[in-house]
Amino acid sequence: MTDLDYKEAYEKEKRRSAYLADRLSQVEEEREVLQASLDFIHNSAFWKMSKPFRRAIHFCRRQAARVRRVMHPRDLVKKLRYKKRERQASLQFGTASFPDPETARAQRETTFLRKVKFSILVPLWNTPEQFLRDMIESVLGQTYENWELCLADGSDGEHGYVDRVCQEYAAQAGGRIVYHKLERNQGIAGNTNACYRLATGDYVGLFDHDDVLHPCALYEYARAINETGADFLYCDESTFRDGSVDNLVNMHFKPDYAPDTLRGNNYITHFSVFSRHLLEEDTELFRTSLDGSQDHDMILRLTDRAGKVHHIPKLLYYWRSHEGSVASDIEAKPYAVEAARRAVTDHLEKHGFRDFQISSTRAFPTIFRIRYRVEGNPGISVIIPNRDHREDLERCVNSILDRSTYDNFELVIVENGSASPEIKQYYRELLGYDYEQALAARGEASSSGESYDMGVMCAEESGKAGTKVRIVTYGGEFNYSRVNNLGAAYATGEYLLLLNNDTQVITCDWMEEMLMYAQREDVGAVGAKLYYGDHTIQHAGVVIGMGAHGTAGHSHYKHNFRDLGYMGRLCYAQNLSAVTGACLMVKKALYEQAGGLDESFAVSLNDVDFCLRLRELGKLNVFTPFAELYHYESESRGDDLHGQNAARYEQEAARFRERWKALLEQGDPYYNPNFTLERCDYSLKLPGSTR
């Protein structure tokens, strides 16, 4: 960098700092005025005298709101439907899912080529007798019989029955129950490590002392190991109460292995089973310093080493909810939150990340938001297709300029046949000169691919000094893919940010939030959380195969923006098959490597197709809920699916289904097959339904 470059950079930063200081001063003055007004009101005699009256009004309003929620017909229908699904689920996934005698006999008589021996580790500590018996009998009832149950008991003297019950079952199990009474309680991690020292199996499974296994659990794991060669496996799970697996509190149907999802939330949990060879580098299974979140730490370590992580999408583990259990209330074990944070910290540091921040989300204390450091200050080219609609474009551009805290970006507006004088006037305002006269003076026409001279907006107009604006003209029939590919060709940034003109920025650090993922070598596309104007969700990730056309759909569509999502999934970053092109960031080099957007998808499914091609290159796609924008879609082209548009969409849908036929048949790996593809709200698939 030359001295002149340094001087220009210094002057640019100086202007930016001056602007921010001025805005901060204005905000502080406004705050002081508002605070003075508020203090005056609160100190007035009328305000003090009216306190009882105000409290009575607020109480009545709260009660009225509760009544409306209960009595509103729409909400009543929703509640009844939910209760109906809950009852159906209990019937479908409770004891009714247990094998009949004929099926159980067939499974016991099945001979696998690889006869895996499972060591099931159960650390005991003051376990209630009925819980203990239920746990042991669920193992004794397994249809796959090559197992051993390793019990390490740290119970105190007041719970001597634990020793008696274990000895009773061990005497009946023909050596398959190995029991060891510890001299003292060593905590969850220490007791489990003691169990591991008793184990002799090829694969190790982790089982809590108060939970229950489905009778077919080990059979399904043995079959999966033989079919896939997996060295780390897990299944779906449910929480039950009142001592019966038919009283399901909730069901956790999980996605396949997703590293970013696992970093933000230990969604794998039970029933984790893994090959012993994954522990060869460690002297112990659990780290005692991470009691309370030892399983998250272990899962992060072992999935890193695993050659094949396999998810069995069946509910095979029942997690008992009772007073004092984490399944009931995380507050019962507050140390677990800090342990989980340290487990994720150690994992990220081993992967070379530095200067990151981890904080709990509103969904759950151990569901985390991770802020990675943005490396350097790379340029971002924001590509915005546009035709007419000055109001949409101006709102979009102003929100970028006024709210974005990242400063090294350019705007590349791809103009597609605008006719209104209002939009041409706005272009003149953006560029700072009359581009049509400039072109005419040079004797040039604005044909497809023509790039107008770059304009630099002044601080008074943009709120951000030195922002670069480029307008590129596209003269052909509307083709979303071709328009964005043209914009990408003229972009000078290291990263591309595809953005619809009918969006509006909400979160100030939206670019940083997307960039911190896009900069990783293992990441392809990064998508944001988008809302309609009525504060319902427009986009929170794309599910392959969802919708009436069997192509792709948005999960949590039209949910309220405050919703936590299924198992908190609207509250943390995660890996998904695809994200919408309405707000998508990707490295420019990777965009070009993948061939850009496929222009045979003129309007629809081009973004999904692009994301799937990135996956074929071995990249992860990431959705982050912390980059938030409005996406009004009121004026977007191509959204009307009637007449000619409907015919065009069906042609593109048919092309998509043919190209990704194998993937559609396999199902979206990040969306559990127990969910229906006919709805976007994580409703369960009805028995007998194929979708």
Side-chain angles (χ1 to χ4, degrees):
M1 182 179 286
T2 65
D3 291 341
L4 181 60
D5 292 332
Y6 277 115
K7 185 176 180 180
E8 289 179 353
Y10 172 77
E11 291 298 328
K12 177 181 178 182
E13 190 60 31
K14 185 177 178 181
R15 290 193 300 271
R16 180 173 180 271
S17 299
Y19 167 74
L20 292 175
D22 181 61
R23 287 291 300 134
L24 182 61
S25 176
Q26 292 177 23
V27 171
E28 184 62 26
E29 290 176 2
E30 293 170 0
R31 189 195 68 80
E32 290 177 356
V33 171
L34 291 172
Q35 187 63 48
S37 301
L38 189 61
D39 291 342
F40 175 79
I41 294 172
H42 285 171
N43 292 327
S44 67
F46 176 78
W47 182 263
K48 294 176 181 178
M49 292 173 59
S50 64
K51 183 176 181 180
F53 180 69
R54 285 185 284 105
R55 294 181 69 176
I57 289 178
H58 291 324
F59 175 80
C60 292
R61 285 178 175 173
R62 288 195 300 270
Q63 299 310 310
R66 288 171 182 165
V67 170
R68 285 195 299 271
R69 284 197 298 270
V70 172
M71 299 303 295
H72 194 287
R74 180 184 59 198
D75 292 334
L76 278 173
V77 169
K78 285 184 178 179
K79 290 179 186 295
L80 290 172
R81 286 178 177 172
Y82 177 79
K83 290 296 183 182
K84 181 179 179 181
R85 289 200 304 269
E86 192 177 55
R87 288 194 300 271
Q88 289 176 333
S90 296
L91 293 173
Q92 183 178 353
F93 297 105
T95 54
S97 67
F98 287 9
D100 56 42
E102 183 178 346
T103 301
R105 183 174 61 255
Q107 291 184 2
R108 289 191 179 95
E109 294 174 354
T110 299
T111 301
F112 292 109
L113 182 63
R114 184 179 179 186
K115 193 166 179 59
V116 177
K117 180 180 180 180
F118 295 100
S119 293
I120 304 172
L121 313 186
V122 183
L124 304 175
W125 182 74
N126 296 348
T127 312
E129 182 171 352
Q130 189 58 52
F131 296 178
L132 179 61
R133 291 185 180 277
D134 289 347
M135 179 273 295
I136 295 175
E137 288 176 6
S138 75
V139 178
L140 290 170
Q142 291 296 302
T143 59
Y144 182 84
E145 299 179 323
N146 191 19
W147 53 263
E148 65 178 359
L149 179 60
C150 304
L151 307 173
D153 180 15
S155 301
D156 58 32
E158 296 180 3
H159 296 79
Y161 64 82
V162 174
D163 178 89
R164 174 178 54 79
V165 171
C166 290
Q167 296 285 8
E168 171 192 329
Y169 280 105
Q172 303 170 7
R176 290 191 298 169
I177 295 180
V178 184
Y179 172 74
H180 177 60
K181 176 65 174 140
L182 301 174
E183 294 182 0
R184 61 179 179 83
N185 179 41
Q186 303 173 27
I188 301 172
N191 292 358
T192 306
N193 288 334
C195 291
Y196 180 62
R197 288 191 287 272
L198 303 173
T200 62
D202 310 303
Y203 278 71
V204 175
L206 303 179
F207 190 23
D208 282 355
H209 67 162
D210 48 3
D211 296 342
V212 174
L213 280 181
H214 190 285
C216 302
L218 295 184
Y219 173 83
E220 294 291 348
Y221 277 70
R223 184 170 69 171
I225 291 169
N226 275 268
E227 292 176 353
T228 68
D231 48 4
F232 190 103
L233 305 94
Y234 64 99
C235 65
D236 298 335
E237 63 184 281
S238 177
T239 304
F240 71 98
R241 63 187 174 195
D242 301 330
S244 172
V245 297
D246 285 327
N247 296 324
L248 302 181
V249 180
N250 60 56
M251 290 161 286
H252 189 185
F253 293 104
K254 309 168 187 178
D256 287 354
Y257 176 58
D260 286 292
T261 311
L262 183 59
R263 290 166 179 169
N265 175 27
N266 181 19
Y267 73 92
I268 288 180
T269 57
H270 304 112
F271 173 46
S272 295
V273 173
F274 47 88
S275 172
R276 291 178 69 96
H277 79 81
L278 296 180
L279 284 167
E280 291 176 354
E281 299 178 19
D282 294 329
T283 57
E284 57 183 8
L285 173 61
F286 284 154
R287 294 196 289 173
T288 55
S289 61
L290 294 176
D291 255 351
S293 192
Q294 67 290 329
D295 53 347
H296 197 180
D297 171 67
M298 180 275 300
I299 290 169
L300 287 167
R301 285 188 285 121
L302 298 193
T303 52
D304 269 353
R305 301 172 190 167
K308 170 70 175 178
V309 180
H310 182 73
H311 166 221
I312 300 173
K314 295 183 178 182
L315 203 158
L316 302 175
Y317 190 98
Y318 299 97
W319 194 1
R320 188 189 302 268
S321 177
H322 61 89
E323 185 178 354
S325 72
V326 177
S328 174
D329 185 3
I330 189 64
E331 299 302 327
K333 299 182 179 180
Y335 59 89
V337 179
E338 181 55 32
R341 186 178 290 109
R342 285 188 284 124
V344 177
T345 296
D346 289 352
H347 165 79
L348 293 176
E349 288 178 347
K350 288 177 182 177
H351 280 263
F353 294 104
R354 297 291 182 270
D355 301 329
F356 52 84
Q357 299 176 354
I358 303 175
S359 57
S360 297
T361 65
R362 63 189 179 94
F364 200 69
T366 55
I367 293 181
F368 296 126
R369 176 182 184 179
I370 304 173
R371 293 180 175 92
Y372 299 94
R373 180 180 67 185
V374 172
E375 302 292 342
N377 190 40
I380 299 174
S381 296
V382 184
I383 301 174
I384 309 174
N386 187 71
R387 178 174 182 175
D388 296 316
H389 303 305
R390 168 172 178 158
E391 183 179 348
D392 283 339
L393 181 62
E394 187 170 9
R395 179 181 58 206
C396 174
V397 169
N398 285 344
S399 73
I400 297 171
L401 299 175
D402 292 342
R403 300 180 185 177
S404 301
T405 52
Y406 196 78
D407 64 347
N408 189 16
F409 66 88
E410 66 175 359
L411 302 179
V412 181
I413 299 172
V414 186
E415 155 60 28
N416 178 208
S418 295
S420 69
E422 291 82 8
I423 194 64
K424 294 182 179 180
Q425 173 60 30
Y426 183 57
Y427 289 159
R428 286 192 286 270
E429 294 171 9
L430 283 175
L431 294 172
Y433 63 89
D434 191 325
Y435 61 90
E436 290 183 319
Q437 288 185 6
L439 288 173
R442 295 203 304 262
E444 299 176 0
S446 57
S447 59
S448 178
E450 177 68 43
S451 175
Y452 298 141
D453 291 340
M454 186 169 295
V456 179
M457 301 178 66
C458 64
E460 291 76 18
E461 291 175 323
S462 70
K464 194 175 292 290
T467 299
K468 298 176 181 178
V469 180
R470 171 172 291 187
I471 300 178
V472 179
T473 59
Y474 169 80
E477 182 181 353
F478 180 75
N479 181 307
Y480 180 83
S481 299
R482 196 172 298 156
V483 166
N484 279 282
N485 289 343
L486 179 64
Y490 281 89
T492 62
E494 185 180 346
Y495 292 84
L496 305 179
L497 204 172
L498 310 187
L499 189 68
N500 278 21
N501 65 346
D502 55 357
T503 56
Q504 182 180 12
V505 175
I506 298 174
T507 51
C508 295
D509 59 348
W510 68 295
M511 285 195 197
E512 293 95 325
E513 181 68 29
M514 301 178 77
L515 179 59
M516 69 185 190
Y517 289 103
Q519 67 185 1
R520 282 173 25 195
E521 286 301 316
D522 61 337
V523 170
V526 183
K529 191 177 183 184
L530 306 180
Y531 308 108
Y532 286 116
D534 62 358
H535 298 98
T536 59
I537 294 172
Q538 188 269 332
H539 171 264
V542 174
V543 176
I544 305 305
M546 179 176 283
H549 293 272
T551 52
H554 293 187
S555 73
H556 296 100
Y557 182 74
K558 295 295 287 184
H559 282 221
N560 186 276
F561 78 104
R562 292 192 184 92
D563 284 359
L564 302 180
Y566 177 73
M567 303 301 290
R569 293 189 67 171
L570 290 175
C571 299
Y572 64 101
Q574 56 210 261
N575 300 123
L576 294 174
S577 286
V579 294
T580 181
C583 183
L584 182 154
M585 183 180 287
V586 64
K587 290 186 184 73
K588 183 178 181 181
L590 189 55
Y591 186 88
E592 294 171 343
Q593 180 185 352
L597 299 184
D598 187 335
E599 296 179 6
S600 68
F601 295 102
V603 177
S604 305
L605 299 169
N606 35 56
D607 47 2
V608 183
D609 172 78
F610 175 69
C611 288
L612 295 182
R613 284 187 280 120
L614 291 176
R615 276 185 53 194
E616 284 190 326
L617 294 175
K619 303 299 181 181
L620 297 168
N621 296 318
V622 177
F623 158 72
T624 171
F626 304 111
E628 298 172 282
L629 299 88
Y630 288 112
H631 184 197
Y632 295 101
E633 280 197 328
S634 58
E635 302 293 342
S636 294
R637 301 188 63 186
D639 291 333
D640 180 18
L641 296 182
H642 296 85
Q644 184 177 356
N645 288 346
R648 182 196 60 232
Y649 180 84
E650 183 49 50
Q651 290 177 355
E652 294 182 350
R655 185 180 301 111
F656 181 90
R657 289 191 297 267
E658 180 60 30
R659 173 175 293 181
W660 300 107
K661 181 179 180 181
L663 179 59
L664 290 168
E665 290 176 350
Q666 294 169 8
D668 191 320
Y670 302 109
Y671 188 76
N672 195 289
N674 287 291
F675 296 128
T676 179
L677 290 169
E678 297 176 351
R679 298 171 60 91
C680 59
D681 59 357
Y682 287 81
S683 295
L684 290 174
K685 185 186 298 181
L686 294 176
S689 173
T690 58
R691 286 177 52 81

